[in-house]
Amino acid sequence: MRFRPCIDIHNGKVKQIVGGSLNDSGDQAAENFVAQQEAGFFARLYREKGLTGGHVILLNPECSDYYKATRTQAFAALAEFPGGLQVGGGIRADNAGEYLEKGASHVIVTSYVFREGQISYDNLEKIKKEVGKEHLTLDLSCRKKDGDYYVVTDRWQKFTDTKVSLELLQELAGSCAEFLVHAVDVEGKSAGIDKELTRLLAEFDGCPITYAGGVGSYEDLERLRRFGRGRLDVTVGSALNIFGGPMELDKALKYCNG
């Protein structure tokens, strides 16, 4: 189980937020932590510890007054750790190349591919052609509805009609290098992982999947290893001491590597 670091940027600041609280109207979100340091500080920390494959997420839409500041922070992080970080948030075929040029190893895509509730195979093909399958991570972050998990888009505010299933993972794996899955209902709450979702994701034995959401203790890392059958990588945010939480980063790394 590989540890994947994160840098979430909202309103030009590195933050940890409650995932389901994002609201583009007024650029609002319930905040768990707002860092005094800029994104480059965290990228440098991850580089020094050799933590590759982390995710830089821009949480403002392009129409936001804060988007320029948020993107500047993202570019600064990529400059500190070229080739070591992935980037997501508003990625499309016409701008993805810029992020790779700035140093991203992969671009992370949700809303561009999941349009009007459905998978846009045209857009999937366009972005795969633009950046190459090897540089594309598909974000299948999801929320539960009527007993099933559905992909959510637009900073987790809109449900699609796309159900997260083993069949979906198998279908899309031919078009990307990795999957990123935030369990949005527990994201940012540090109250335990979504066991049902991790069991579902563990059925897939293909390209890497990074799970994020709800990790609040070292015991949660053990549970994730067990329910995920060792097949899932993990992102920890609000619970880490670098983001104001109780879990020491180095100790969490030992749990993941153990």
Side-chain angles (χ1 to χ4, degrees):
M1 183 170 70
R2 183 178 169 196
F3 181 91
R4 303 290 195 103
C6 63
I7 303 174
D8 295 342
I9 309 170
H10 183 247
N11 294 357
K13 300 286 187 180
V14 176
K15 295 183 181 180
Q16 287 295 312
I17 67 168
V18 178
S21 72
L22 271 170
N23 189 335
D24 287 348
S25 177
D27 297 299
Q28 297 174 347
E31 299 169 348
N32 285 325
F33 177 81
V34 181
Q36 297 300 310
Q37 305 93 336
E38 298 196 338
F41 167 86
F42 294 97
R44 189 162 55 251
L45 173 66
Y46 301 152
R47 174 172 52 82
E48 291 170 352
K49 291 184 178 295
L51 298 176
T52 58
H55 308 104
V56 179
I57 306 296
L58 291 75
L59 293 174
N60 291 104
E62 286 189 62
C63 61
S64 167
D65 292 339
Y66 293 97
Y67 178 75
K68 183 177 180 180
T70 291
R71 193 171 72 147
T72 297
Q73 287 287 318
F75 285 163
L78 297 176
E80 285 287 350
F81 197 180
L85 296 166
Q86 306 182 18
V87 65
I91 304 294
R92 307 179 305 271
D94 63 350
N95 66 8
E98 181 179 12
Y99 289 97
L100 295 181
E101 291 171 4
K102 293 289 186 180
S105 64
H106 299 63
V107 290
I108 306 166
V109 178
T110 309
S111 300
Y112 181 71
V113 168
F114 296 91
R115 307 295 296 176
E116 297 180 356
Q118 306 293 327
I119 300 173
S120 170
Y121 292 98
D122 286 345
N123 282 359
L124 178 58
E125 190 59 33
K126 285 178 184 177
I127 197 158
K128 184 173 70 169
K129 184 177 180 180
E130 180 67 27
V131 303
K133 169 186 171 180
E134 67 276 15
H135 296 297
L136 180 59
T137 295
L138 288 180
D139 185 339
L140 304 182
S141 295
C142 54
R143 307 183 79 165
K144 201 169 189 179
K145 182 174 70 171
D146 300 328
D148 291 305
Y149 294 95
Y150 290 86
V151 174
V152 288
T153 64
D154 299 276
R155 290 153 300 283
W156 308 329
Q157 296 169 74
K158 296 180 181 178
F159 274 94
T160 70
D161 298 328
T162 305
K163 188 184 301 184
V164 177
S165 64
L166 177 59
E167 292 74 22
L168 179 70
L169 295 169
Q170 291 171 335
E171 176 188 352
L172 295 179
S175 298
C176 66
E178 300 185 7
F179 294 112
L180 171 62
V181 183
H182 288 83
V184 178
D185 291 325
V186 297
E187 172 72 20
K189 297 180 181 179
S190 300
I193 64 170
D194 188 323
K195 301 183 188 69
E196 184 179 348
L197 179 59
T198 57
R199 286 193 187 99
L200 186 161
L201 297 175
E203 294 179 20
F204 179 69
D205 189 16
C207 63
I209 299 178
T210 300
Y211 168 88
V215 175
S217 66
Y218 306 113
E219 290 75 20
D220 283 329
L221 292 176
E222 292 292 345
R223 293 184 188 100
L224 181 60
R225 186 194 306 278
R226 185 167 72 254
F227 291 110
R229 295 155 61 184
R231 293 177 174 172
L232 305 180
D233 293 343
V234 62
T235 287
V236 185
S238 300
L240 288 180
N241 61 343
I242 60 173
F243 297 125
M247 296 175 65
E248 296 178 15
L249 174 60
D250 289 340
K251 191 173 180 180
L253 294 178
K254 289 180 180 178
Y255 269 80
C256 291
N257 295 331

